[in-house]
Amino acid sequence: MPKNPPESMQHHLRQRLNNRAKERWPQLSSVRVRFRAGFAYVTGKLPGDEEPLPLCRLRFTGVLHTWGFALYLASNGKYEDNFLPTGLPAGSPETPWTVRAASTSATRRPDQHSSTNLRGED
């Protein structure tokens, strides 16, 4: 079974993702990261919501600055491996957050284009 990153890397990743979320999606009250079997599962919380929104899953590659990326698909409740805008299957953990990954993973319909509407509501 793949191992989780050391505690210091986990702390660093949490900081990086929370900082990026504050820049890109200030409407999120927090971003939570839990580690399991070599993956970092990232969820976001909206103010007033009890239930966290699954956003993505990062695959630990053994290097702090390089993670694989899978987007959470609300349509089927599963994670789907994705390529980053660089065309590579792995990269900086912040990279997916620059391409509307979090907003797409919530409950968006294809006809919704706002990158700030995390619930997919009009």
Side-chain angles (χ1 to χ4, degrees), residues 20 24-25 56 69 71 82-87 92-105 108 113-115:
R20 183 57 138 197
R24 297 291 296 181
W25 287 283
C56 65
F69 170 66
L71 184 65
N82 282 269
F83 288 95
L84 298 171
T86 60
S92 156
E94 294 95 346
T95 300
W97 295 71
T98 64
V99 293
R100 299 199 314 183
S103 64
T104 303
S105 68
R108 289 178 64 78
H113 301 291
S114 171
S115 64

